[in-house]
Amino acid sequence: MPYVIASRRIVNIADLRREAQRRLPRAVFDYIDGGADAEVTLRENCRAFEQVTFRPRCAVVTAHPDLRVRIIGTDLALPFLLAPVGSSRLFHPDGEAGAARAAGEAGTAYILSTLSGTRVDEVKAASSGPVWYQLYLVGGRDVAMAAIERARTAGCSALVVTIDTPVAGVRERDVRNGAKELSSGAPRTMLPYLPQFLARPRWLARFLLDGGLMNFPNIVLPETGPMPYADVAAALEQSAVCWDDLSWIRARWGGRLIVKGVHTGEDARRAIGEGADAIVVSNHGGRQLDGVAATLRTLPEVVAAVNGATEILLDGGVRRGSDIVKAICLGARAVLIGRSYAYGLGAYGAAGVARAIDILRTDVSRTLRLLGCASIAELNPSYVEAPAHWLSRAQPRSSQLSAT
Ligand SMILES: Cc1cc2nc3c(=O)[nH]c(=O)nc-3n(C[C@H](O)[C@H](O)[C@H](O)COP(=O)(O)O)c2cc1C
């Protein structure tokens, strides 16, 4: 039965986060919410948005701002899309298919993680919008090639290759909650960590009815079939994506290619050299290398280095529509949201994803009206002030940015 979400109760993304925390077992909530090590980058991603201020044009009426964007040749109704979030089906049985459906209904794209619990063709069939496939080389090149073919056959129009995961970051909350032990499938190893699930009986009932801990149906090993949950962490470590791999992927995938996990101007240029149609300035939501700069802070450097040669997307710390507007003012074409919709999925299934999208859409629209700007396309650096030291590496475009 679909949830009825009272809009007075769920006013913003923080409310969805609170509901997810209330409804999910600790291990599942912390898997979504946590970051690597001391979680410095996780916090900084959000804080950076607070350091950018607006410069509105007042006495300008823009009744119905135009929120449309065009990314890699695809028209989207909204300036944000749904980032790849692994294991989404653990949060709620609606999982990846439900999130993709909500994205499609809102006129935006969904990016399916390699580490998902639903087959790519099922996810594509569930959505009326674009579905892109995020690729890890888990299992090796042959396994990845088969996944690329399945994504192509399913109708995915872009491949998103994540380059920031040569080894899985340590999320200390996951260690404490027994994430590794819980995925072992061995009852005695799991036992000490099971009480947290008994404390969330509704989640547990839904999880068991959905078949319990699933394999990864998009990582199909030739001998044994879908990769079991317990094997994925070790497999990830043996499958780091290098620049060589990117050339290999480019040669085999004729469609649009997006490189996700760019932190510097140098890597942005390298990705363009490898044929990226777009890049995502991303630190994996602070889940990998702790201590890297907030993505919003890195954005001016990347914009300057790219100098218009490819499209730039950004993710990390986006919790409000005004965050989306700030990122676009500073040079992103659009933004990916991760936790913002994952909290919604965990709290209410697909209805929660739809609510997250709706909150952000309304926020973006109101922010544009308050800025006196008629469309996303008209946003530019003159609508914001960013700290001066963010711009020190951003030479070519720095004259366009007003610094505090
Ligand atoms: C629970 C979770 C799982 C994720 N799984 C993946 C993944 O499988 N592949 C990937 O490229 N990024 C993954 N990410 C990173 C997101 O795609 C995105 O970069 C990040 O969530 C953006 O930060 P935000 O959550 O603050 O919006 C994951 C993020 C979360 C929160």
Side-chain angles (χ1 to χ4, degrees), residues 184-266:
S184 71
R188 279 180 66 163
T189 314
M190 294 164 72
L191 198 61
Y193 300 99
L194 292 181
Q196 56 186 314
F197 297 95
L198 300 177
R200 295 288 185 275
R202 272 199 209 166
W203 176 90
L204 185 59
R206 274 200 295 260
F207 172 71
L208 293 174
L209 282 172
D210 193 40
L213 198 64
M214 67 284 187
N215 294 335
F216 289 108
N218 297 306
I219 311 172
V220 183
L221 306 172
E223 307 287 310
T224 50
M227 180 174 277
Y229 215 89
D231 295 351
V232 85
L236 250 185
E237 307 218 340
Q238 291 157 18
S239 60
V241 178
C242 301
W243 293 111
D244 276 358
D245 297 309
L246 219 58
S247 315
W248 177 84
I249 292 164
R250 176 74 285 181
R252 277 149 192 84
W253 171 259
R256 302 294 183 159
L257 183 69
I258 302 176
V259 174
K260 174 173 180 281
V262 170
H263 296 65
T264 63
E266 291 92 319

Side-chain angles (χ1 to χ4, degrees), residues 84-101 110-127 131-134 147 150-151 154 156 210-220 226-227 229 341 345:
V85 167
S87 304
S88 286
R89 198 158 164 176
L90 280 184
F91 316 162
H92 190 283
D94 286 354
E96 295 86 3
R101 191 173 70 240
Y110 174 77
I111 306 176
L112 177 69
S113 166
T114 291
L115 306 180
S116 54
T118 314
R119 287 202 331 255
V120 61
D121 55 322
E122 288 177 33
V123 175
K124 180 68 182 94
S127 177
V131 173
W132 300 342
Y133 187 76
Q134 178 266 324
R150 282 193 301 272
C156 293
D210 193 40
L213 198 64
M214 67 284 187
N215 294 335
F216 289 108
N218 297 306
I219 311 172
V220 183
M227 180 174 277
Y229 215 89
Y341 84 84
L345 183 62

Side-chain angles (χ1 to χ4, degrees), residues 83-84 86 113 134 136 162 260 282 284-285 287 315-317 319 338-339:
S113 166
Q134 178 266 324
Y136 283 131
T162 302
K260 174 173 180 281
S282 171
H284 219 108
R287 297 166 75 82
D315 72 24
R319 304 290 182 267
R339 293 181 183 84

Side-chain angles (χ1 to χ4, degrees), residues 313-359:
L313 308 172
L314 170 138
D315 72 24
V318 174
R319 304 290 182 267
R320 290 192 175 270
S322 55
D323 298 342
I324 296 169
V325 173
K326 287 175 184 177
I328 294 171
C329 286
L330 286 174
R333 190 174 274 249
V335 157
L336 274 53
I337 56 166
R339 293 181 183 84
S340 285
Y341 84 84
Y343 295 137
L345 183 62
Y348 302 106
V353 178
R355 181 77 188 117
I357 293 172
D358 202 40
I359 288 169

Side-chain angles (χ1 to χ4, degrees), residues 60 88 90 136 158 172 185 196 199 201 220 241 279-280 283 327 350 379 402:
V60 177
S88 286
L90 280 184
Y136 283 131
E172 295 179 1
Q196 56 186 314
V220 183
V241 178
I279 56 172
V280 188
N283 52 38
L379 288 173
S402 44

Side-chain angles (χ1 to χ4, degrees), residues 48 262-265 281-283 292-304 314 390 394:
V262 170
H263 296 65
T264 63
V281 178
S282 171
N283 52 38
V292 290
T295 46
L296 191 69
R297 181 182 168 172
T298 308
L299 182 61
E301 172 189 334
V302 173
V303 169
L314 170 138
W390 288 15

